[in-house]
Amino acid sequence: QQQQQQQQQQQPPVADVASAAAPTPATATGGDPPIPEEVKKNPPPSNKYADTPPPKIQPPLPGTRTTLISEAIKCKRGLKILDNLTTSDNFQVDFDLVAYGKLPGWTGIFRITKSNADLGHHFDRMPAFYMRPNTLDLDAVMGKDVLGHDNDLIEEPFQLQLGETHHVMGRLQGDTWQLFVDGKQLHNLGGYIGTKFPPMEGAEVWATDNFYPASNVSISNLVYTVLAADAPMDYLPLKSKQIILNEERPVKVGRLVTNRLITGKNFELCFNVTPTGLVDAWSSLLRITKSYTDVGHRFDRMPAFFFKPNKTELFAVMGREHFQEDNEYVETDYQLPMNQTSKVVARLEGDNWTLTVNGQVVNNTLSGYNDTKFPAMVDASVWIGDRFYPPANANLSWITYEILPNEEASRGGVIPKGGCEFGRVGAVLIGCFVWLNL
């Protein structure tokens, strides 16, 4: 009982999932686009399926391109371009954009929608592009078919150059909403598997809508392209090691490394971590997940790593299938050295969840996983800094994930005890999958 009380006092707090999608003040000046006063007082009635599912349709064939705008036009409030676009769950929008100046308050560029409401309903922003107040910062919002996630946006805006033509591309495919500018991939936003809007007919295109003043920009060559359905991935052979990240990267809010990780019931996760400062709250370091929520659901933390407030003591959370056991953890009782690299190995095998730091096993191994492990899965997301907590002041490198044999496969013999080699560039990697999309 005393141990349970200590755990309850120390465990990472549960974030407010409904509000977690908004950017934090530390990462996005200006916050979310506001709700106009007239909408707050008297939400307009919807005649565009704002809160009811649309009829099921087959999307156009992959590769189908619809030109929405060809010649350059200045964005204008209440300018409807089209009212019969057929959308897809996977798609890409391309356009050229020229900014002529800053404006006070949030301003709109263009929006695709199936409602006549601004936000707070299904199908409001699918997607929508904005400029932030008093800046040339471009924001890209892509809602999810989950209430409370209708305003999910790229956390790190792109700053346009005054008078220059930028080619912008937004892509929704797999688990990820991605923003590209001038051919360079910028920040990603995950959590879209199982939460995408279905294909729909009769979507409207505005440049821009009636909810915000128009941005001081011109837009041209706006094209909507249907992308192929998400392709399933086969499971990797036993003992394959997946290299998730090799080069050192700083932890940031909502920094997605990959959404194509293949997980196992038994596994070994290794990474290098270099603390560079303290945060006065629970801070996120690394999370593997198959959900778009923080805690309280299946697959939220499989696993997730945190630093304690104002400390570099490491918390390693590994959820279970059992209800209310999604936040089970082991922890260090000492702080990781500042500005020095520590090698972390987390291992789920048999009945135990164990943590090793710099070759020393943490002394509070957690048991009870024999019949409570998550199943093997494809397309898990890996975040170095999630969207629910402030990012840890730290750098990560050499993140690897190795699937270990199931208990059934290892009976009659000893389960091999894998290992992690860090920083040995130049070795030949056989049977490895590498992601370098940061």
Side-chain angles (χ1 to χ4, degrees):
Q1 288 180 347
Q2 185 177 1
Q3 185 178 5
Q4 269 187 333
Q5 289 173 353
Q6 289 175 347
Q7 287 181 344
Q8 289 171 358
Q9 291 170 358
Q10 297 182 73
Q11 64 186 11
V14 178
D16 180 355
V17 174
S19 63
T24 64
T27 59
T29 302
D32 278 349
I35 301 174
E37 288 300 319
E38 60 268 24
V39 176
K40 291 181 183 177
K41 295 175 183 177
N42 186 21
S46 173
N47 55 13
K48 286 282 185 178
Y49 309 108
D51 286 308
T52 56
K56 290 185 178 181
I57 67 163
Q58 287 294 325
L61 293 175
T64 300
R65 291 165 53 89
T66 303
T67 300
L68 306 174
I69 297 173
S70 53
E71 298 298 322
I73 62 170
K74 284 292 292 291
C75 290
K76 181 181 178 181
R77 187 167 185 162
L79 178 59
K80 185 189 289 187
I81 303 298
L82 195 70
D83 63 2
N84 62 349
L85 176 67
T86 300
T87 65
S88 178
D89 46 358
N90 288 331
F91 68 88
Q92 178 176 305
V93 287
D94 293 82
F95 57 96
D96 292 324
L97 191 67
V98 181
Y100 301 107
K102 306 173 185 178
L103 291 174
W106 285 90
T107 57
I109 299 174
F110 88 91
R111 175 202 294 251
I112 297 176
T113 184
K114 272 288 286 187
S115 80
N116 62 359
D118 174 26
L119 80 169
H121 309 78
H122 299 293
F123 323 133
D124 287 337
R125 303 176 176 190
M126 43 186 275
F129 288 79
Y130 300 92
M131 299 278 284
R132 296 194 174 205
N134 298 305
T135 71
L136 295 178
D137 290 348
L138 174 69
D139 252 323
V141 178
M142 182 63 217
K144 297 185 174 107
D145 207 4
V146 178
L147 288 178
H149 288 268
D150 57 291
N151 196 31
D152 284 9
L153 73 156
I154 299 292
E155 295 281 5
E156 297 178 354
F158 176 81
Q159 188 174 59
L160 303 171
Q161 298 302 306
L162 197 66
E164 293 188 10
T165 299
H166 295 280
H167 183 73
V168 180
M169 180 174 72
R171 178 189 292 160
L172 180 63
Q173 191 169 35
D175 193 53
T176 311
W177 170 237
Q178 297 172 297
L179 178 65
F180 297 77
V181 179
D182 298 331
K184 180 180 179 181
Q185 181 182 339
L186 304 179
H187 207 61
N188 300 309
L189 181 63
Y192 285 89
I193 288 180
T195 66
K196 291 174 186 160
F197 297 129
M200 287 178 277
E201 296 175 328
E204 296 175 347
V205 183
W206 297 79
T208 183
D209 55 44
N210 283 307
F211 300 103
Y212 303 95
S215 301
N216 189 10
V217 300
S218 65
I219 184 172
S220 61
N221 301 316
L222 175 59
V223 178
Y224 186 99
T225 304
V226 176
L227 300 181
D230 300 327
M233 289 180 64
D234 295 329
Y235 286 92
L236 286 174
L238 194 62
K239 294 190 293 184
S240 290
K241 181 178 290 188
Q242 299 164 84
I243 300 178
I244 301 169
L245 176 69
N246 57 1
E247 296 181 356
E248 188 173 66
R249 291 288 187 270
V251 178
K252 293 187 178 180
V253 172
R255 190 165 200 180
L256 179 68
V257 182
T258 180
N259 56 15
R260 304 294 274 176
L261 181 70
I262 302 171
T263 67
K265 291 181 70 174
N266 293 309
F267 65 87
E268 183 174 84
L269 175 67
C270 309
F271 59 92
N272 279 353
V273 55
T274 306
T276 57
L278 300 178
V279 178
D280 61 0
W282 285 96
S283 56
S284 171
L285 197 64
L286 171 66
R287 178 190 292 249
I288 296 177
T289 183
K290 275 286 286 185
S291 79
Y292 52 89
T293 51
D294 171 29
V295 70
H297 308 79
R298 297 178 75 204
F299 318 138
D300 286 337
R301 303 176 176 192
M302 45 184 283
F305 297 83
F306 303 88
F307 278 154
K308 292 182 182 180
N310 292 310
K311 296 180 179 180
T312 58
E313 293 182 11
L314 184 63
F315 250 62
V317 180
M318 183 63 216
R320 295 175 180 169
E321 285 277 22
H322 285 178
F323 181 63
Q324 293 182 339
E325 290 186 356
D326 57 299
N327 201 30
E328 303 295 296
Y329 62 89
V330 294
E331 60 178 316
T332 63
D333 56 2
Y334 55 87
Q335 298 198 55
L336 274 58
M338 193 70 67
N339 297 313
Q340 295 183 33
T341 299
S342 295
K343 299 177 181 180
V344 178
V345 180
R347 190 179 184 91
L348 182 63
E349 185 178 42
D351 196 48
N352 297 323
W353 171 237
T354 58
L355 180 67
T356 302
V357 179
N358 293 326
Q360 300 297 314
V361 179
V362 174
N363 59 11
N364 59 342
T365 294
L366 189 64
S367 59
Y369 283 90
N370 265 339
D371 301 312
T372 63
K373 296 188 183 93
F374 295 132
M377 288 178 277
V378 297
D379 296 340
S381 298
V382 182
W383 303 81
I384 53 173
D386 61 33
R387 304 187 69 242
F388 306 103
Y389 301 93
N393 283 333
N395 297 324
L396 296 184
S397 64
W398 282 102
I399 307 174
T400 66
Y401 187 101
E402 183 172 4
I403 298 173
L404 302 177
N406 291 336
E407 288 75 16
E408 294 81 0
S410 62
R411 284 172 187 161
V414 178
I415 299 177
K417 293 287 180 188
C420 300
E421 292 292 332
F422 298 92
R424 297 189 178 275
V425 180
V428 177
L429 303 174
I430 301 176
C432 297
F433 284 67
V434 183
W435 289 275
L436 295 174
N437 67 337
L438 288 184

